[in-house]
Amino acid sequence: MALTPSTMLPLDTQAPDFILIDAVTNKPVGLQDVRGEKGTVVMFICNHCPFVKHVNEELVRLANDYRVTGFGFVAISSNDAENYPQDAPQYMWDVARKENYPFPYLFDETQEIAKAYHAACTPDFYLFDADLKLVYRGQLDNSRPGNGIPVNGRDLREAIDNILNNNPQRKEQKPSMGCNIKWKK
């Protein structure tokens, strides 16, 4: 597993639009469908990555904590499912059910959406404000598999709380670290 950091899409970038198939419902879901009144969290994840597995419980807690406050959540898997069949939609369905994902889990088969977001790793997190302007991108928190730091979502939670409380965002934002997105050849 190659440790890959986020590319850190420039702040104030408008959220790239998308319509992708939800692996759970098998229906198309777009950015406007998941958009929250106060903000929207877009997460690039996958099934097999140990970094994602490490934070799955916190992703569920985070979404459950903040959906009721006006935030929308969506997860997208952009991995090449032909060469990484464990990331194929039928297994995404299994993972979403097992983990009780309270958000759509979308398959980016063409990888165009990952490219539009400049996503580089799993997990990779993007927080957009009510106007779909990027205000935070980077890590969930300082926890990584094996480093002994508890998973608490501190960095992303702080960014969401800053929107809720009309506070400025932290200027220094740490990139997420994880497995590289498995690009098609």
Side-chain angles (χ1 to χ4, degrees):
M1 96 184 138
L3 189 61
T4 303
S6 300
T7 59
M8 304 301 276
L9 186 66
L11 295 173
D12 291 326
T13 296
Q14 187 73 31
D17 201 12
F18 58 80
I19 296 177
L20 298 168
I21 299 298
D22 184 352
V24 175
T25 65
N26 207 32
K27 293 187 179 352
V29 174
L31 178 61
Q32 295 305 320
D33 299 316
V34 298
R35 182 179 186 176
E37 180 185 324
K38 300 250 171 82
T40 306
V41 176
V42 177
M43 307 173 281
F44 285 85
I45 65 173
C46 71
N47 297 339
H48 83 276
C49 173
F51 292 89
V52 174
K53 289 178 178 182
H54 181 69
V55 300
N56 260 331
E57 284 184 30
E58 179 58 21
L59 300 183
V60 170
R61 263 192 309 272
L62 184 81
N64 284 333
D65 289 349
Y66 287 100
R67 285 182 316 150
V68 296
T69 65
F71 285 85
F73 286 80
V74 64
I76 300 172
S77 177
S78 299
N79 278 357
D80 175 3
E82 189 173 313
N83 289 306
Y84 297 86
Q86 66 270 42
D87 288 328
Q90 66 267 28
Y91 300 112
M92 292 170 60
W93 184 92
D94 292 340
V95 169
R97 291 289 184 214
K98 177 180 164 262
E99 298 294 338
N100 292 310
Y101 284 168
F103 41 76
Y105 190 15
L106 311 181
F107 185 51
D108 178 18
E109 185 174 11
T110 66
Q111 301 184 319
E112 289 177 19
I113 304 309
K115 289 174 184 169
Y117 278 78
H118 298 256
C121 60
T122 56
D124 217 347
F125 300 96
Y126 301 82
L127 172 62
F128 297 91
D129 65 14
D131 298 322
L132 293 175
K133 294 281 189 190
L134 185 65
V135 297
Y136 178 83
R137 75 284 191 249
Q139 70 177 13
L140 180 67
D141 58 33
N142 287 318
S143 184
R144 304 290 184 271
N147 75 358
I149 297 172
V151 179
N152 59 18
R154 181 182 159 265
D155 293 54
L156 185 52
R157 284 178 180 274
E158 178 183 276
I160 294 170
D161 288 340
N162 285 339
I163 290 176
L164 283 172
N165 299 313
N166 294 313
N167 290 332
Q169 294 292 339
R170 191 184 284 247
K171 295 217 184 303
E172 185 182 322
Q173 299 178 2
K174 295 179 186 174
S176 187
M177 299 288 274
C179 299
N180 61 304
I181 289 180
K182 308 306 184 224
W183 300 106
K184 294 180 179 185
K185 304 239 183 297

